[in-house]
């Protein structure tokens, strides 16, 4: 009897394994989600225009702040007139700005002569600035003669650098 029960149990067990489970119908695939359309991002606001003072613009004519002279000459040369005129226009448009004109010479000549020549050079630039619209109260002049050389060698290339009027704001 024991064998019979085991046999029945085995038959039922095998029958259970061989049977197939009912197949559930597959769910219909979900439709793909509609693409999300985003509104275009607003254009970035243009950068604010910051006015650059032409005195600080290295590409401006005002970046040149020295006027050069041949030996023993105090008249502004043709090559430097546009520079002086640009500074005159700037001063006329900016009445709150002031300038100091520093006349310089090379080492040749006496101290007294060079101080006088440096003064004539600074005053020549001052006259051009005044004619260009600058006001007299915006301009100071000083002569350093040979006391403030840019170059200290004793040759023409250096002396050429030292014969100048510097425009200092």
């Amino acid at each position: 009897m024991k064998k019979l029960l085991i046999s029945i149990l085995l038959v039922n067990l095998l029958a259970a394994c061989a049977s197939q489970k009912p197949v559930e119908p597959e769910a219909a695939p979900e439709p793909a989600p509609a693409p999300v359309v985003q509104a275009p991002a607003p254009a970035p606001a243009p950068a604010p225009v910051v006015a650059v003072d032409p005195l600080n613009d290295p590409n401006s004519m005002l970046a040149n702040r020295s006027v050069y002279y041949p030996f023993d000459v105090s008249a502004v040369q043709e090559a430097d007139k546009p520079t002086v005129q640009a500074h005159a226009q700037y001063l006329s448009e900016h009445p709150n700005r002031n300038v100091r004109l520093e006349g310089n010479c090379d080492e040749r000549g006496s101290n007294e002569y060079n101080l006088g020549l440096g003064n004539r050079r600074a005053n020549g630039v001052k006259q051009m600035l005044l004619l260009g619209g600058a006001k007299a109260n915006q301009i100071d002049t000083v002569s350093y003669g040979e006391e403030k050389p840019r170059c200290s060698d004793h040759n023409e290339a250096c002396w050429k650098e030292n014969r100048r009027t510097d425009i200092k704001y």
Side-chain angles (χ1 to χ4, degrees):
M1 173 111 169
K2 194 173 186 182
K3 282 186 181 180
L4 182 63
L5 280 176
I6 291 177
S7 299
I8 293 175
L9 187 59
L10 272 174
V11 171
N12 282 334
L13 187 61
L14 288 174
C17 286
S19 68
Q20 292 183 345
K21 293 184 179 177
V23 178
E24 293 181 23
E26 287 187 23
E30 290 185 30
V36 177
V37 178
Q38 294 181 350
V49 176
V50 178
V52 175
D53 188 340
L55 284 178
N56 300 324
D57 180 0
N59 298 319
S60 167
M61 180 79 98
L62 299 174
N64 185 3
R65 300 205 184 138
S66 292
V67 176
Y68 295 95
Y69 305 89
F71 178 71
D72 202 28
V73 172
S74 59
V76 175
Q77 302 300 290
E78 287 299 318
D80 288 317
K81 285 182 179 180
T83 297
V84 177
Q85 291 166 345
H87 285 282
Q89 181 178 350
Y90 179 82
L91 288 167
S92 71
E93 293 171 357
H94 298 87
N96 59 331
R97 299 303 300 258
N98 296 318
V99 71
R100 182 177 65 231
L101 305 173
E102 300 175 349
N104 296 275
C105 301
D106 63 34
E107 64 189 33
R108 298 172 292 176
S110 69
N111 285 341
E112 294 81 16
Y113 180 80
N114 285 338
L115 284 171
L117 181 57
N119 192 48
R120 289 191 300 278
R121 288 175 174 168
N123 282 326
V125 173
K126 179 179 181 177
Q127 288 304 317
M128 283 192 68
L129 292 175
L130 292 172
L131 289 172
K135 302 294 182 220
N137 64 352
Q138 292 178 279
I139 306 168
D140 288 322
T141 60
V142 63
S143 175
Y144 290 119
E146 62 192 76
E147 299 303 315
K148 288 195 170 194
R150 259 194 203 152
C151 182
S152 58
D153 292 342
H154 306 290
N155 58 44
E156 182 57 36
C158 247
W159 293 331
K160 197 181 231 183
E161 289 281 320
N162 295 335
R163 295 188 302 256
R164 69 190 189 281
T165 296
D166 292 324
I167 302 169
K168 303 274 180 115
Y169 283 87

